[in-house]
Amino acid sequence: MASISSTVHLSYISFKLTQRLFVCSCRGRRATLSAQPLAPQKTLSNSPSLGFFRNNTSARPSKADGSIERSNTLSSLSAAIDTHNKEKNKSFRPEFNSRETNESFFPKISDIAVGYWLLGSAASVFGIVVFGGLTRLTESGLSITEWKPVTGSLPPMKDADWDSEFAKYKASPESKLLNPNMNLSDFKSIYYMEWAHRIWGRIVGISFVLPAIYFVARRKVSASMIVKVVGIAGLIGFQGVLGWWMVKSGLNDDLFAPGSHPRVSQYRLTAHLGTAFVCYTAMLWNGLSILRGHKFLADPVKAAAIFAGLKRPELKIFRRLIGALAVLVFCTAMSGGLVAGLDAGLIYNEFPYMGPGLTPPKSELFSDFYSHTSDKSDVWWRNPLENPSLVQLNHRILATTTFTSVMGIWAYTKLSPSLKKTLPIASRKGMHGVVGFVFLQVVLGISTLIYLVPLPLASAHQAGSLALLSSVVILGSRTWIPVRVSRLVTKKLQSKGQKDRKRVKPTSRHSVWARTLEEAIELSTNSTARRNVRAFRTSAHS
């Protein structure tokens, strides 16, 4: 009887174990257990516990003739567990292809140090733009008549070298027409001004190229950022070539009218200024994008909420307006380059009038004097680019349009109920910054014009144009949706969700075994059955 009772209790335990393990294996997966094969690992089918259980419950007498019949309950259970584990391991086995391997060679997002480096480079470019304006205003740009990228890095050290440089300058048109009585001491002051500008340009190039090589070699930049960094490096080199091309235009008599004021070509000056603005904007935008991307990835839940808000249709119109405003600010600054190249700020020093009216007479605005063809067919495009009166008028119109556009966009953010609700707080602050800079720029521009282009105001006005463009770029970076970072945030949230689901998985098989055994011991009234269960528990734990 004791043997029969022990066998009955052990059968009950087998039933409970089968039920618990089956539920544990299938919970969280509503699909059948025949989905994906799994890599071999140590499973319960080969554990000492199941081996002990099979040895103790594999045979029992039949009811009819007392013969022995095999019980396949645990065998089928262990086979199911083996199949399930193999399929699960196979489903999580990574699949590699050449494209994924190539993309993983560089990080998905550039290192945060790259972002700070780009912003530092942008600050250096900002400084050299302002210093270049001072070089232009002090008429120091034509003091060095040669371009020596390597050997010209050091100024003259001996008196003989200074005499040689001074003799070269005396042969230039600027010295003959404007500075025939300049002495060596005065020449040194303008020479050092231009030399410092050129040295600063070399420093900008070296401080950009060398760190770029290091970051790429250390794989701290993403694949897409490498292309942008190479493009910016190319712009820096091209900027140096443009600078000498611009200076060369003021050293040749055949590039300006005989007897006129020697000056560099306004076309080349504007190209030089525009390239600097583009280079600065590229550094600023990409640096801000990297820092913003790291901020989003640090808190993907908050980033997903921000992206959801930025995808609202109300903000789509606002983003387009900011993009158009950035182009308008850039064009206004380039028209200022034409004004500087033609010294157009020295005429009509009043505002808002230009002579008797708001605009000069039409005959003055479209004069045949600036035509270079016999049929005067080029009057319509040469006057807007070479006539100082029309160039200043165009700059006034563009500046007024910029101011009106900024105030219109600001009013749109205040009066539109839908935009007012969806516009992020950072974008609102950025809009306030744009308004402040545009007011400052208008005051500086009018003051520069009225006071006949004094050096401090003119330099501040040029710096204000770049500061205004910077505020618009910063505002744009706060409202644009970074597509690449958005995808990374989505993947990070998905992986985080999978990890969370794994953490709330049902109780492990080990705890199921232990809890089932405890219940079996409590229900067992036969000493032999209790002894067998305890032995089984010891085997399972081992």
Side-chain angles (χ1 to χ4, degrees):
M1 292 296 293
S3 175
I4 296 175
S5 177
S6 175
T7 304
V8 170
H9 281 85
L10 289 175
S11 300
Y12 174 78
I13 293 173
S14 301
F15 171 77
K16 294 294 290 184
L17 288 173
T18 303
Q19 184 182 21
R20 290 292 182 88
L21 288 174
F22 185 81
V23 172
C24 178
S25 301
C26 298
R27 188 173 300 171
R29 280 179 172 266
R30 297 184 179 180
T32 60
L33 293 178
S34 59
Q36 319 119 341
L38 220 254
Q41 56 177 273
K42 185 178 179 180
T43 61
L44 290 175
S45 61
N46 298 324
S47 63
S49 56
L50 279 180
F52 177 86
F53 224 22
R54 288 175 184 143
N55 293 334
N56 285 273
T57 61
S58 58
R60 65 175 182 228
S62 71
K63 294 180 181 179
D65 53 359
S67 61
I68 302 298
E69 62 180 18
R70 303 288 297 181
S71 174
N72 295 325
T73 304
L74 289 179
S75 300
S76 60
L77 173 62
S78 62
I81 294 174
D82 285 342
T83 304
H84 172 61
N85 288 337
K86 292 179 181 179
E87 292 170 350
K88 183 177 179 182
N89 276 350
K90 184 178 180 180
S91 66
F92 286 97
R93 185 176 300 162
E95 296 180 1
F96 297 97
N97 52 51
S98 59
R99 182 176 180 181
E100 291 179 351
T101 305
N102 292 335
E103 290 182 354
S104 62
F105 187 79
F106 293 100
K108 297 294 183 181
I109 185 171
S110 301
D111 192 89
I112 193 171
V114 179
Y116 287 117
W117 162 66
L118 287 173
L119 293 182
S121 300
S124 182
V125 173
F126 188 101
I128 196 175
V129 169
V130 176
F131 193 81
L134 289 173
T135 305
R136 167 78 182 112
L137 291 168
T138 56
E139 297 183 347
S140 304
L142 300 178
S143 58
I144 302 179
T145 59
E146 295 177 337
W147 190 48
K148 299 178 180 179
V150 180
T151 59
S153 300
L154 295 176
M157 297 298 181
K158 301 178 181 179
D159 293 340
D161 296 334
W162 278 113
D163 293 337
S164 176
E165 292 296 329
F166 191 31
K168 294 176 184 178
Y169 176 71
K170 284 184 176 181
S172 66
E174 182 182 71
S175 176
K176 294 177 181 179
L177 297 176
L178 297 180
N179 302 317
N181 300 321
M182 177 178 284
N183 55 34
L184 182 59
S185 178
D186 295 335
F187 171 72
K188 286 183 179 181
S189 63
I190 63 173
Y191 184 95
Y192 276 122
M193 195 80 174
E194 173 64 12
W195 175 81
H197 181 60
R198 296 191 182 190
I199 288 298
W200 197 336
R202 291 179 174 90
I203 292 175
V204 169
I206 294 174
S207 63
F208 188 87
V209 173
L210 293 183
I213 295 174
Y214 168 78
F215 286 131
V216 173
R218 299 288 295 177
R219 301 180 188 177
K220 291 182 177 294
V221 292
S222 61
S224 60
M225 187 58 62
I226 291 177
V227 178
K228 298 174 184 178
V229 168
V230 171
I232 295 174
L235 277 177
I236 294 175
F238 181 64
Q239 179 72 345
V241 176
L242 274 180
W244 169 244
W245 185 56
M246 176 192 68
V247 171
K248 189 177 180 180
S249 66
L251 300 175
N252 297 332
D253 294 329
D254 56 342
L255 294 181
F256 49 87
S260 63
H261 188 294
R263 62 167 64 95
V264 298
S265 169
Q266 74 273 19
Y267 299 111
R268 302 185 185 185
L269 174 65
T270 305
H272 188 54
L273 179 66
T275 306
F277 270 55
V278 172
C279 186
Y280 168 80
T281 304
M283 293 177 177
L284 180 62
W285 178 269
N286 288 292
L288 292 174
S289 299
I290 293 174
L291 298 185
R292 191 167 177 243
H294 280 276
K295 183 179 179 181
F296 285 146
L297 291 175
D299 191 354
V301 177
K302 183 179 179 181
I306 294 176
F307 292 154
L310 292 177
K311 292 179 181 179
R312 298 286 295 272
E314 296 86 354
L315 288 179
K316 186 177 182 180
I317 300 176
F318 182 76
R319 279 193 293 271
R320 291 179 178 177
L321 291 175
I322 297 302
L325 179 62
V327 174
L328 181 59
V329 172
F330 179 82
C331 292
T332 305
M334 294 306 100
S335 70
L338 293 175
V339 172
L342 294 171
D343 290 331
L346 299 176
I347 61 175
Y348 293 112
N349 302 105
E350 52 188 344
F351 189 85
Y353 295 101
M354 296 182 70
L358 293 176
T359 63
K362 184 178 179 181
S363 59
E364 182 181 348
L365 294 177
F366 292 92
S367 174
D368 295 340
F369 174 77
Y370 299 97
S371 176
H372 293 184
T373 59
S374 57
D375 58 354
K376 312 299 180 183
S377 59
D378 58 346
V379 171
W380 65 274
W381 68 267
R382 285 195 179 273
N383 275 276
L385 299 175
E386 300 179 2
N387 186 345
S389 299
L390 187 53
V391 167
Q392 187 189 128
L393 177 62
N394 290 338
H395 186 61
R396 290 189 181 203
I397 294 174
L398 286 172
T400 305
T401 305
T402 300
F403 177 78
T404 306
S405 301
V406 170
M407 299 311 298
I409 297 175
W410 176 78
Y412 176 55
T413 61
K414 296 295 182 181
L415 300 179
S416 174
S418 57
L419 182 61
K420 192 174 181 180
K421 293 180 181 179
T422 57
L423 191 65
I425 297 178
S427 299
R428 296 177 189 175
K429 294 180 180 179
M431 189 71 238
H432 294 160
V434 173
V435 171
F437 275 113
V438 77
F439 267 101
L440 177 62
Q441 184 67 350
V442 167
V443 172
L444 288 174
I446 296 175
S447 301
T448 302
L449 182 66
I450 293 176
Y451 291 101
L452 297 175
V453 196
L455 183 63
L457 286 177
S459 180
H461 185 52
Q462 182 178 8
S465 65
L466 195 54
L468 177 59
L469 180 62
S470 302
S471 64
V472 177
V473 170
I474 293 173
L475 175 59
S477 69
R478 294 178 178 180
T479 55
W480 248 252
I481 302 175
V483 179
R484 190 178 188 87
V485 176
S486 177
R487 294 173 181 171
L488 293 177
V489 168
T490 303
K491 292 181 180 179
K492 193 170 184 179
L493 287 175
Q494 291 176 349
S495 62
K496 184 179 179 181
Q498 292 177 356
K499 291 180 180 178
D500 291 341
R501 285 194 294 270
K502 290 180 180 179
R503 291 194 187 100
V504 297
K505 282 174 61 176
T507 311
S508 63
R509 292 189 181 92
H510 182 78
S511 59
V512 172
W513 283 105
R515 191 167 61 249
T516 304
L517 291 171
E518 294 296 335
E519 293 176 359
I521 291 174
E522 292 176 1
L523 294 175
S524 177
T525 57
N526 185 275
S527 58
T528 305
R530 286 199 299 268
R531 186 167 53 252
N532 291 338
V533 168
R534 290 192 185 98
F536 173 73
R537 179 175 59 181
T538 303
S539 176
H541 280 287
S542 63

